[in-house]
Amino acid sequence: MLSTTALVIFVRNPISGQVKTRLAKDIGDERALAIYLQLLQHTLEITRGLSFRKFIYYADEVCDYDLWSVPGYTKRKQNGNNLGERMLNSFKELFDQGFTRIIIIGSDCLQLKTENLEEAVALLESNNAVIGPANDGGYYLLGLTKFYPDLFTNKPWSTDKVFAKTIDDFINHGISYALLDELSDIDDVTDLEENGISI
């Protein structure tokens, strides 16, 4: 099973002024960048020991030398005009390569643990989809066993409606799904406080 399981990690290139922009409005670009680097390091630590294939998809350009330049991670570039298109294209790319279970996460969730990812893979043995709701109305993880393009279209990305609209799609298309625990992404100052990060 693990050889045909892929973990996709969407990351932004860590450039001051281009990451955590909502957070930067309150704490400044440099502090926001430092927090994003902390989130990237956390994401590396919780995924490094996983035995399935791992793919880093960069928002802008692939970095030849960075913290992902370690064994076990394949680097690629995101492709698409919005988040939905970029996720759709990454899922399609990997399903076309023969993977049968694909999970995608971002790099914004300090509460995410290795156990959550292992649970998600296990849940895909008996479900076509697994989703991890974020407390802002989005989701921090989506896993699929088949390619469902409709999940990535006609969504109000970066709003509190994304999770609910995705659940509607599961129901309307008869996609069996499982839920993970609700977690908190780090997007604003309130999220920092909830995650015990000093401002």
Side-chain angles (χ1 to χ4, degrees):
M1 177 189 79
L2 295 180
S3 62
T4 57
T5 299
L7 172 67
V8 173
I9 305 171
F10 265 29
V11 301
R12 291 187 177 276
N13 297 71
I15 300 169
S16 179
Q18 297 183 26
V19 296
K20 293 289 151 204
T21 52
R22 199 187 330 168
L23 187 60
K25 291 176 183 176
D26 292 320
I27 65 172
D29 290 341
E30 292 306 313
R31 180 71 178 124
L33 174 60
I35 287 170
Y36 187 61
L37 290 171
Q38 181 180 344
L39 288 166
L40 289 177
Q41 186 65 42
H42 171 75
T43 305
L44 172 63
E45 288 171 3
I46 65 169
T47 59
R48 200 167 190 166
L50 295 170
S51 54
F52 33 87
R53 293 283 302 279
K54 291 162 284 197
F55 295 85
I56 302 298
Y57 277 80
Y58 293 85
D60 298 311
E61 299 297 331
V62 172
C63 293
D64 290 331
Y65 302 102
D66 62 3
L67 81 166
W68 304 108
S69 301
V70 292
Y73 294 86
T74 301
K75 298 180 177 184
R76 294 185 177 172
K77 185 180 180 298
Q78 297 174 28
N79 178 33
N81 294 317
N82 58 45
L83 178 59
E85 287 185 12
R86 295 195 294 268
M87 288 197 291
L88 182 151
N89 288 328
S90 65
F91 270 98
K92 185 177 189 307
E93 193 172 76
L94 293 175
F95 275 125
D96 286 349
Q97 288 181 21
F99 288 95
T100 59
R101 293 174 179 83
I102 301 171
I103 291 169
I104 190 168
I105 61 172
S107 47
D108 300 310
C109 189
L110 203 56
Q111 296 180 354
L112 188 62
K113 295 180 172 59
T114 305
E115 294 76 30
N116 301 122
L117 301 172
E118 292 171 335
E119 180 186 5
V121 171
L123 287 168
L124 288 177
E125 292 182 27
S126 53
N127 296 276
N128 293 132
V130 60
I131 191 167
N135 66 356
D136 61 1
Y139 55 79
Y140 61 85
L141 178 151
L142 179 68
L144 301 172
T145 60
K146 297 178 183 177
F147 183 50
Y148 299 106
D150 288 349
L151 297 178
F152 308 103
T153 58
N154 301 314
K155 297 290 181 303
W157 301 109
S158 301
T159 73
D160 60 2
K161 304 289 192 297
V162 175
F163 173 75
K165 295 276 188 186
T166 304
I167 295 296
D168 286 344
D169 280 348
F170 290 159
I171 295 169
N172 293 336
H173 292 284
I175 301 169
S176 61
Y177 68 94
L179 291 175
L180 297 175
D181 291 338
E182 182 178 290
L183 300 179
S184 170
D185 279 341
I186 291 182
D187 293 313
D188 56 33
V189 173
T190 302
D191 298 329
L192 291 182
E193 295 167 354
E194 289 179 357
N195 284 272
I197 300 175
S198 58
I199 300 171

